[in-house]
C-alpha cells in the first residue's frame, strides 16, 4: 500500500534530501512491484491463522460491521480478498472498495480477477471503486490490457452488499471529513487498518467488533528488492 500510494517513494526521497543527497532521487517501478507481488500472492494460500480470522469476520458481519486490524506483513488485504471473493460467489449485489488512491483499487481488482478466473466478467460488473477525495463512484472496464475507471452514471441507484475500506486509518484521522460514509447504501462494511499506522493514536474508529491479525506471514524483502 505504501508503494502504490507513492508514500514509500516520497519518504525515501525526503530522507535523501535530509541527508544532503538531494542530487539523487528514487523512482519506484510500480509495474515490476505489482508483478512480483501478484506472483507471491498466487503462490499463497490462507494460513490457519488467516482462515480463523476470516471465519471471525464472517461471524462479526452479522452485526453489520467489523474492523480488521493487522501488524505489517500479516496479510490483511489478502484476507479481505478472500472475503470479497466469497461475497461475489454467493451474492448478486455490488461490492464497493474504498481506498486512498485509485492505484490501490486497481491492484485489488486485478487480484480478484486473477484469483477467480471463472467469474472475471462478474468481478468487472460488480466491483465499484472510490478513492480520495471520496466524491464519486467508479465502475470498471478493460481497455487493451489495462483497467479503466469511469464515473457511475446512475449512482443514486447503487446498493452494495459489502463495503471494504482499505487503509481505514487514513480516513479516521482527526480532521478528515467522513460524511461520505454515511451516504453509502450498504448492508455490511469492513474496515482494514494497519496497527503500526494506528499506533500514533488520535484515531476515531467506529465502535464495531475488531478482529486482529497478529501472525506475520510475508516478508517484504523480495518485494522491496524488486521495486
Amino acid at each position: 500500500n505504501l508503494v502504490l500510494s507513492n508514500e514509500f517513494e516520497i519518504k525515501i526521497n525526503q530522507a535523501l534530501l535530509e541527508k544532503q543527497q538531494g542530487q539523487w532521487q528514487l523512482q519506484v517501478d510500480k509495474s515490476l512491484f505489482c508483478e512480483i507481488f501478484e506472483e507471491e500472492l498466487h503462490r499463497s494460500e490462507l494460513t490457519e491463522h488467516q482462515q480463523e480470522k476470516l471465519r471471525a469476520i464472517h461471524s462479526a458481519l452479522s452485526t453489520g460491521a467489523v474492523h480488521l486490524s493487522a501488524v505489517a506483513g500479516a496479510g490483511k488485504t489478502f484476507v479481505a480478498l478472500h472475503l470479497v471473493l466469497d461475497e461475489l460467489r454467493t451474492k448478486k449485489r455490488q461490492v464497493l472498495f474504498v481506498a486512498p488512491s485509485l492505484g490501490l483499487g486497481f491492484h485489488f481488482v486485478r487480484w480478484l480477477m486473477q484469483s477467480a478466473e471463472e467469474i472475471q466478467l462478474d468481478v468487472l460488473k460488480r466491483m465499484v471503486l472510490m478513492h480520495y477525495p471520496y466524491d464519486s463512484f467508479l465502475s470498471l472496464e478493460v481497455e487493451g490490457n489495462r483497467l479503466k475507471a469511469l464515473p457511475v452514471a446512475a449512482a443514486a441507484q447503487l446498493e452494495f452488499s459489502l463495503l471494504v475500506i482499505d487503509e481505514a486509518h487514513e480516513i479516521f484521522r482527526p480532521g478528515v471529513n467522513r460524511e461520505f460514509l454515511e451516504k453509502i447504501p450498504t448492508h455490511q462494511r469492513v474496515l482494514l487498518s494497519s496497527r503500526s499506522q494506528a499506533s500514533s493514536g488520535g484515531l476515531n474508529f467506529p465502535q464495531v467488533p475488531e478482529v486482529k491479525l497478529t501472525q506475520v506471514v510475508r516478508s517484504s524483502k523480495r518485494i522491496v528488492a524488486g521495486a
Side-chain angles (χ1 to χ4, degrees):
N1 288 346
L2 288 175
V3 171
L4 294 176
S5 66
N6 292 323
E7 190 172 345
F8 176 70
E9 186 173 304
I10 291 170
K11 284 185 175 181
I12 288 186
N13 286 323
Q14 285 177 340
L16 287 172
L17 285 172
E18 291 169 3
K19 295 180 181 296
Q20 297 183 341
Q21 298 292 326
Q23 70 271 26
W24 297 99
Q25 290 289 282
L26 177 143
Q27 184 175 24
V28 177
D29 186 337
K30 296 185 180 66
S31 296
L32 180 58
F33 170 85
C34 290
E35 289 173 7
I36 294 173
F37 202 5
E38 287 167 6
E39 181 185 338
E40 290 207 349
L41 181 69
H42 287 301
R43 291 203 303 264
S44 304
E45 295 181 356
L46 289 172
T47 65
E48 290 186 8
H49 178 67
Q50 289 173 329
Q51 291 175 16
E52 174 190 342
K53 299 306 178 182
L54 180 58
R55 290 192 294 269
I57 292 170
H58 277 295
S59 177
L61 278 174
S62 62
T63 65
V66 63
H67 177 190
L68 174 63
S69 64
V71 296
K76 69 180 186 301
T77 309
F78 188 47
V79 173
L81 170 78
H82 284 268
L83 176 69
V84 172
L85 284 175
D86 290 345
E87 191 77 12
L88 293 174
R89 284 170 171 150
T90 59
K91 298 179 183 178
K92 296 301 179 184
R93 288 197 176 114
Q94 290 174 298
V95 174
L96 175 63
F97 185 83
V98 175
S101 71
L102 183 58
L104 292 176
F106 278 164
H107 194 51
F108 189 80
V109 172
R110 287 178 63 188
W111 284 359
L112 285 172
M113 294 178 68
Q114 294 182 8
S115 300
E117 294 182 355
E118 78 280 7
I119 58 169
Q120 276 193 354
L121 291 178
D122 210 28
V123 169
L124 277 179
K125 291 178 182 177
R126 294 175 54 202
M127 287 299 300
V128 177
L129 303 181
M130 177 182 279
H131 65 93
Y132 181 84
Y134 313 113
D135 56 2
S136 62
F137 297 109
L138 302 172
S139 62
L140 297 165
E141 64 178 39
V142 175
E143 187 176 80
N145 62 349
R146 302 176 67 88
L147 282 175
K148 182 178 180 181
L150 300 170
V152 176
Q157 300 176 17
L158 289 174
E159 185 177 0
F160 304 103
S161 62
L162 180 65
L163 162 63
V164 178
I165 305 173
D166 197 12
E167 301 291 288
H169 47 269
E170 297 292 342
I171 293 177
F172 289 93
R173 293 188 185 280
V176 176
N177 188 341
R178 296 180 287 274
E179 292 182 1
F180 73 95
L181 289 175
E182 300 173 5
K183 302 175 183 178
I184 295 175
T186 182
H187 294 263
Q188 299 175 322
R189 60 184 65 200
V190 178
L191 282 62
L192 310 178
S193 74
S194 167
R195 296 180 68 182
S196 61
Q197 295 291 325
S199 62
S200 58
L203 299 181
N204 188 26
F205 288 119
Q207 298 298 310
V208 299
E210 183 177 1
V211 175
K212 297 180 180 180
L213 274 172
T214 57
Q215 291 184 4
V216 176
V217 296
R218 175 177 51 80
S219 169
S220 60
K221 289 182 179 179
R222 182 166 176 266
I223 295 171
V224 173

